[in-house]
Coordinates of all heavy atoms in Angstrom, one line a residue:
L1 N -6.6 -14.0 18.8 CA -7.6 -13.4 18.0 C -7.3 -11.9 17.7 O -7.4 -11.4 16.6 CB -9.0 -13.5 18.6 CG -10.1 -12.8 17.9 CD1 -10.3 -13.5 16.5 CD2 -11.4 -13.0 18.7
A2 N -6.8 -11.2 18.8 CA -6.5 -9.8 18.7 C -5.3 -9.6 17.7 O -5.3 -8.7 16.9 CB -6.1 -9.2 20.0
T3 N -4.3 -10.5 17.8 CA -3.2 -10.5 16.9 C -3.6 -10.7 15.5 O -3.1 -10.0 14.6 CB -2.1 -11.6 17.3 OG1 -1.7 -11.3 18.7 CG2 -0.9 -11.5 16.4
L4 N -4.4 -11.7 15.3 CA -4.9 -11.9 13.9 C -5.7 -10.7 13.3 O -5.5 -10.4 12.1 CB -5.8 -13.2 13.9 CG -5.1 -14.5 14.1 CD1 -6.2 -15.6 14.3 CD2 -4.3 -14.8 12.9
M5 N -6.4 -10.1 14.2 CA -7.2 -8.9 13.7 C -6.3 -7.8 13.4 O -6.5 -7.1 12.4 CB -8.2 -8.4 14.8 CG -9.3 -9.4 15.1 SD -10.4 -8.9 16.4 CE -11.1 -7.4 15.7
L6 N -5.2 -7.6 14.2 CA -4.2 -6.6 13.8 C -3.5 -6.8 12.5 O -3.3 -6.0 11.7 CB -3.2 -6.5 15.0 CG -3.6 -5.8 16.2 CD1 -2.6 -5.9 17.3 CD2 -3.9 -4.3 16.0
V7 N -3.1 -8.1 12.3 CA -2.5 -8.5 11.1 C -3.4 -8.3 9.9 O -3.0 -7.8 8.8 CB -2.0 -10.0 11.1 CG1 -1.5 -10.5 9.8 CG2 -0.9 -10.1 12.2
A8 N -4.6 -8.7 10.1 CA -5.6 -8.6 9.0 C -5.9 -7.1 8.7 O -6.0 -6.7 7.5 CB -6.9 -9.2 9.4
G9 N -5.9 -6.3 9.7 CA -6.1 -4.8 9.5 C -4.9 -4.2 8.8 O -5.1 -3.4 7.9
A10 N -3.7 -4.6 9.1 CA -2.5 -4.1 8.4 C -2.5 -4.5 7.0 O -2.2 -3.7 6.1 CB -1.3 -4.6 9.1
A11 N -2.9 -5.8 6.7 CA -2.9 -6.3 5.3 C -4.0 -5.5 4.5 O -3.7 -5.2 3.4 CB -3.2 -7.8 5.3
H12 N -5.1 -5.2 5.2 CA -6.2 -4.5 4.5 C -5.7 -3.1 4.1 O -6.0 -2.5 3.1 CB -7.4 -4.4 5.3 CG -8.5 -3.7 4.7 ND1 -9.2 -4.1 3.6 CD2 -9.1 -2.4 5.0 CE1 -10.2 -3.3 3.3 NE2 -10.1 -2.2 4.1
A13 N -5.0 -2.5 5.1 CA -4.4 -1.1 4.9 C -3.4 -1.1 3.7 O -3.4 -0.2 2.9 CB -3.7 -0.6 6.1
E14 N -2.6 -2.2 3.6 CA -1.7 -2.3 2.5 C -2.4 -2.4 1.2 O -1.9 -1.9 0.2 CB -0.7 -3.5 2.7 CG 0.4 -3.2 3.7 CD 1.4 -4.3 3.7 OE1 1.1 -5.4 3.1 OE2 2.5 -4.2 4.4
D15 N -3.5 -3.0 1.2 CA -4.3 -3.2 -0.1 C -4.7 -1.9 -0.6 O -5.1 -1.8 -1.8 CB -5.5 -4.1 0.2 CG -5.1 -5.6 0.4 OD1 -4.0 -5.9 0.1 OD2 -6.0 -6.3 0.9
K16 N -4.8 -0.9 0.2 CA -5.3 0.4 -0.2 C -4.2 1.5 -0.5 O -4.4 2.7 -0.6 CB -6.2 1.0 0.9 CG -7.5 0.2 1.1 CD -8.3 0.2 -0.2 CE -9.6 -0.6 -0.1 NZ -10.4 -0.7 -1.4
V17 N -3.0 1.0 -0.6 CA -1.8 1.9 -0.9 C -1.0 1.3 -2.0 O -0.7 0.1 -2.0 CB -0.9 2.1 0.3 CG1 0.3 2.9 0.0 CG2 -1.7 2.7 1.5
L18 N -0.7 2.1 -3.0 CA 0.2 1.7 -4.1 C 1.5 2.5 -3.9 O 1.5 3.7 -3.9 CB -0.4 2.0 -5.4 CG 0.6 1.8 -6.7 CD1 0.9 0.4 -6.9 CD2 0.0 2.4 -7.9
R19 N 2.6 1.8 -3.7 CA 3.9 2.5 -3.6 C 4.6 2.5 -5.0 O 5.0 1.4 -5.4 CB 4.8 1.7 -2.5 CG 4.2 1.7 -1.1 CD 4.9 0.8 -0.2 NE 4.8 -0.6 -0.8 CZ 5.5 -1.6 -0.3 NH1 6.4 -1.4 0.8 NH2 5.4 -2.8 -0.8
L20 N 4.7 3.7 -5.5 CA 5.1 3.8 -6.9 C 6.4 4.5 -7.0 O 6.7 5.6 -6.5 CB 4.0 4.7 -7.7 CG 4.3 5.0 -9.1 CD1 4.3 3.8 -10.0 CD2 3.3 6.0 -9.6
L21 N 7.4 3.9 -7.8 CA 8.7 4.4 -8.0 C 8.7 4.8 -9.5 O 8.7 4.0 -10.4 CB 9.7 3.3 -7.7 CG 11.2 3.6 -7.8 CD1 11.6 4.7 -6.8 CD2 12.1 2.4 -7.6
T22 N 8.8 6.1 -9.7 CA 8.5 6.6 -11.1 C 9.3 7.8 -11.4 O 10.1 8.3 -10.6 CB 7.0 6.8 -11.3 OG1 6.7 7.1 -12.6 CG2 6.5 8.0 -10.4
W23 N 9.1 8.3 -12.6 CA 9.8 9.5 -13.1 C 8.9 10.8 -12.8 O 7.7 10.7 -12.6 CB 10.0 9.5 -14.6 CG 10.9 8.3 -15.0 CD1 10.5 7.0 -15.2 CD2 12.2 8.3 -15.4 NE1 11.5 6.2 -15.6 CE2 12.6 7.0 -15.8 CE3 13.2 9.4 -15.5 CZ2 13.9 6.7 -16.2 CZ3 14.5 9.0 -16.0 CH2 14.8 7.7 -16.3
A24 N 9.6 12.0 -12.8 CA 8.8 13.2 -12.6 C 7.8 13.3 -13.7 O 8.1 13.0 -14.9 CB 9.8 14.4 -12.7
D25 N 6.6 13.8 -13.4 CA 5.5 14.1 -14.3 C 4.7 12.9 -14.8 O 3.8 13.0 -15.6 CB 6.0 14.9 -15.5 CG 6.7 16.2 -15.1 OD1 6.2 16.9 -14.1 OD2 7.7 16.6 -15.7
Y26 N 5.1 11.7 -14.3 CA 4.4 10.5 -14.8 C 3.2 10.2 -13.9 O 2.4 9.3 -14.3 CB 5.3 9.2 -14.8 CG 6.3 9.2 -16.0 CD1 6.5 10.3 -16.8 CD2 6.9 8.0 -16.3 CE1 7.4 10.2 -17.8 CE2 7.8 7.9 -17.4 CZ 8.0 9.0 -18.1 OH 8.9 8.9 -19.2
A27 N 3.0 10.9 -12.8 CA 1.9 10.7 -12.0 C 1.3 12.0 -11.6 O 1.4 12.5 -10.4 CB 2.2 9.9 -10.7
P28 N 0.6 12.7 -12.5 CA 0.1 14.1 -12.3 C -0.9 14.0 -11.1 O -1.6 13.0 -11.0 CB -0.6 14.5 -13.6 CG 0.1 13.6 -14.6 CD 0.4 12.3 -13.9

């Protein structure tokens, strides 16, 4: 159960991050 909670927590954290590969000035 603890393992599942850790995995779920990590997945939730990933849902709140966008990793963007972009050009200069395209994300002011």
